[in-house]
Amino acid sequence: MDALLIDRLQFVFTISFHYLFPQLTMGLALLIVILKYLAVKKKNEHYNKAARFWAKIFGINFAMGVVTGIPMEFQFGTNWARFSTFAGGVIGQTLAMEGMFAFFLESSFLGLFLYGEKKLGQVGHLISAILIFVGSWLSGYFIIATNAWMQHPVGYAFSPDGSVHLTSFWELILNPWAVSQYAHNMIGAVVTATFVMMSVGAYYLLSKRDLEYGKTFIRTGMIAGLISTIFLAFPTGDFEAKNVATHQGPKFAAMEGLFETKQGAELVIIGQPDMEKLRLDNPLHVPNLLSFLTYNRWNAEVKGLDAFPRSDWPDNIPLLYYSYHIMVGLGTIFISIMILSIFLYWKKKLFESRWVLWILLLSFPFPYIANTAGWMTSEIGRQPWLVYGLMRTDVGTSATVSAGNGLFTLLGFLGIYFLLGVLFILLVIRTINNGPSSTTETH
């Protein structure tokens, strides 16, 4: 293996592991605000204990997110030094703002929420929950704005040494790519949190303990989950797809498995990319639907991969295609689970339907898979570009870091993250087994 492949594998592994934690904290931040608001409005200790319980889960995830997030920024210097030299004058702004403003806002008020309830009072405690939510979602925006610039560079100019520097802060922050990507990403985080909350609720009901909390968790997760899963598909997913079709034609064609330019292009449901014959094997598709969804016209022309130079094609089209279809397929299943849950709740049968509770209990890993598949679609589809249209991936690595150096640190990350993963699971299991009833008001 060469150094480029090792560097890419290391970044994929570390960022995929890291993102397991922020996607839950960003989603939970919203749900904790809802529970805390209900506690204050109804003056009901039940919702207060529910909010404290999920704040503990939030805290464990937040700590793991911090520990696994720090190496990400170091890798820009160790493994991707030429990229950092080229783009540091632009992405340094958003990365610094994420650390200085959003992270400190979130971490400061998390400490107050966890340990300062008596001193803050109930309204102050609610305000601290809201500011945790603001901090976590602001943090998400700065990271998304950084990635959006790599997908769709704006507000920059070239320096005499060939690097880029920022010419418009507001163009960087209000990058149209960032706005749609942020909406889609954050709603994906809410979906993860709703499924985790419903899963824990289902566990309590199936094990016949903490029954009222189990019902509250399922009810809260179900309502937020139905809204978020629908918004994930439309309008945010629709906006994202149209954005890709407009600005990254080769990625869009590869995602959809469209090898030839067509008028009235079909939407492929399933099929297997054949890279030797440049076609889809055994396709199941809906005629003309891709043209309509992309351009609102049934016979509109959609460019296939044949419309672009081969050198601009994503370097792993089958993996991109499958990642995209896994994400979309799971999103459809999520909507179905939420509609089924709402229907049974309306019939007053949800909490007694053990087969549905088992579905809810076992479904929590799938939003993590869907979010990871979504990020794989975004990042694999950007290849072979590190900064789309400006810098190719193979010239962004560190010239002095060999494949052996990279493999050594990759093995180190595998070992350390395995231990962190075991520790995380043990802490979460202990918190869930202690249950929300054990939470008490803090000083």
Side-chain angles (χ1 to χ4, degrees):
M1 290 190 285
D2 60 17
L4 174 62
L5 180 58
I6 293 289
D7 290 336
R8 291 181 66 184
L9 286 175
Q10 180 168 307
F11 203 84
V12 165
F13 171 70
T14 52
I15 202 164
S16 298
F17 189 86
H18 166 69
Y19 194 61
L20 295 175
F21 308 109
Q23 67 178 286
L24 183 59
T25 56
M26 291 186 294
L28 270 185
L30 176 63
L31 300 183
I32 290 171
V33 168
I34 293 171
L35 291 170
K36 186 65 196 180
Y37 171 75
L38 291 172
V40 173
K41 184 181 179 183
K42 297 185 176 184
K43 297 182 179 178
N44 189 328
E45 183 62 13
H46 171 81
Y47 290 106
N48 235 346
K49 288 194 171 188
R52 289 190 207 112
F53 170 78
W54 284 106
K56 286 186 176 181
I57 303 285
F58 183 104
I60 297 168
N61 275 267
F62 179 80
M64 289 292 174
V66 172
V67 170
T68 57
I70 292 172
M72 304 305 308
E73 300 208 17
F74 283 122
Q75 283 182 76
F76 286 129
T78 56
N79 298 51
W80 300 94
R82 286 183 291 187
F83 162 69
S84 298
T85 302
F86 173 76
V90 176
I91 65 171
Q93 318 294 320
T94 45
L95 291 177
M97 292 175 72
E98 191 273 337
M100 293 301 296
F101 303 139
F103 172 74
F104 282 111
L105 176 64
E106 183 183 7
S107 55
S108 301
F109 282 93
L110 176 60
L112 288 172
F113 189 84
L114 289 174
Y115 302 110
E117 185 175 352
K118 280 186 179 177
K119 292 190 183 301
L120 289 170
Q122 289 305 304
V123 174
H125 202 226
L126 171 61
I127 292 172
S128 66
I130 293 171
L131 290 173
I132 293 169
F133 164 72
V134 172
S136 66
W137 281 51
L138 197 58
S139 176
Y141 190 80
F142 287 132
I143 297 300
I144 291 289
T146 304
N147 182 267
W149 186 82
M150 296 168 67
Q151 302 278 356
H152 181 61
V154 294
Y156 71 93
F158 282 99
S159 301
D161 64 358
S163 65
V164 291
H165 63 269
L166 194 62
T167 58
S168 172
F169 172 77
W170 292 111
E171 277 193 67
L172 172 67
I173 290 296
L174 301 177
N175 186 341
W177 191 287
V179 175
S180 65
Q181 186 179 1
Y182 178 71
H184 193 59
N185 184 83
M186 301 312 283
I187 291 176
V190 174
V191 170
T192 297
T194 59
F195 270 89
V196 170
M197 186 171 280
M198 292 175 72
S199 177
V200 174
Y203 166 71
Y204 287 148
L205 293 188
L206 287 168
S207 56
K208 301 186 185 305
R209 50 163 293 192
D210 294 294
L211 296 178
E212 291 307 311
Y213 289 103
K215 291 177 182 177
T216 298
F217 295 163
I218 289 179
R219 193 163 46 240
T220 305
M222 179 180 62
I223 295 170
L226 179 66
I227 297 169
S228 56
T229 50
I230 291 173
F231 269 69
L232 200 60
F234 186 85
T236 65
D238 182 58
F239 285 164
E240 269 287 271
K242 287 176 176 171
N243 224 8
V244 173
T246 303
H247 299 290
Q248 295 185 358
K251 177 199 282 189
F252 184 76
M255 282 164 47
E256 300 290 353
L258 191 65
F259 289 93
E260 296 178 0
T261 301
K262 289 183 180 177
Q263 289 186 326
E266 66 275 13
L267 182 74
V268 175
I269 308 299
I270 57 173
Q272 304 90 49
D274 184 337
M275 293 308 297
E276 291 185 3
K277 298 176 181 175
L278 299 181
R279 69 180 190 190
L280 276 183
D281 292 336
N282 311 308
L284 175 63
H285 58 251
V286 181
N288 300 79
L289 188 55
L290 181 60
S291 289
F292 180 77
L293 291 175
T294 308
Y295 299 110
N296 300 322
R297 289 179 287 116
W298 293 103
N299 289 314
E301 179 182 277
V302 181
K303 290 183 177 178
L305 283 164
D306 63 346
F308 306 98
R310 188 88 181 230
S311 59
D312 287 346
W313 289 14
D315 53 14
N316 195 331
I317 289 173
L319 184 57
L320 169 60
Y321 169 87
Y322 287 123
S323 298
Y324 173 66
H325 281 78
I326 287 171
M327 176 189 69
V328 173
L330 286 174
T332 307
I333 293 172
F334 297 158
I335 294 174
S336 304
I337 290 175
M338 290 301 173
I339 290 174
L340 173 65
S341 300
I342 287 281
F343 175 75
L344 290 174
Y345 181 74
W346 175 59
K347 289 288 187 180
K348 303 185 186 305
K349 295 180 178 177
L350 177 60
F351 299 139
E352 290 75 35
S353 301
R354 292 182 64 84
W355 64 278
V356 179
L357 294 177
W358 274 106
I359 290 175
L360 297 180
L361 172 63
L362 299 175
S363 61
F364 80 89
F366 294 101
Y368 287 99
I369 296 172
N371 273 283
T372 303
W375 271 107
M376 289 174 65
T377 302
S378 178
E379 299 306 294
I380 296 169
R382 194 187 63 226
Q383 303 302 319
W385 299 99
L386 196 49
V387 181
Y388 202 81
L390 298 182
M391 183 184 209
R392 288 191 175 255
T393 303
D394 57 0
V395 297
T397 57
S398 300
T400 57
V401 177
S402 68
N405 297 145
L407 186 58
F408 178 77
T409 53
L410 174 58
L411 292 173
F413 277 120
L414 287 168
I416 292 171
Y417 282 15
F418 172 76
L419 295 176
L420 284 175
V422 172
L423 176 63
F424 169 76
I425 291 170
L426 291 176
L427 289 172
V428 169
I429 288 175
R430 191 179 72 166
T431 304
I432 292 173
N433 283 335
N434 287 340
S437 305
S438 65
T439 61
T440 55
E441 192 177 21
T442 55
H443 293 286

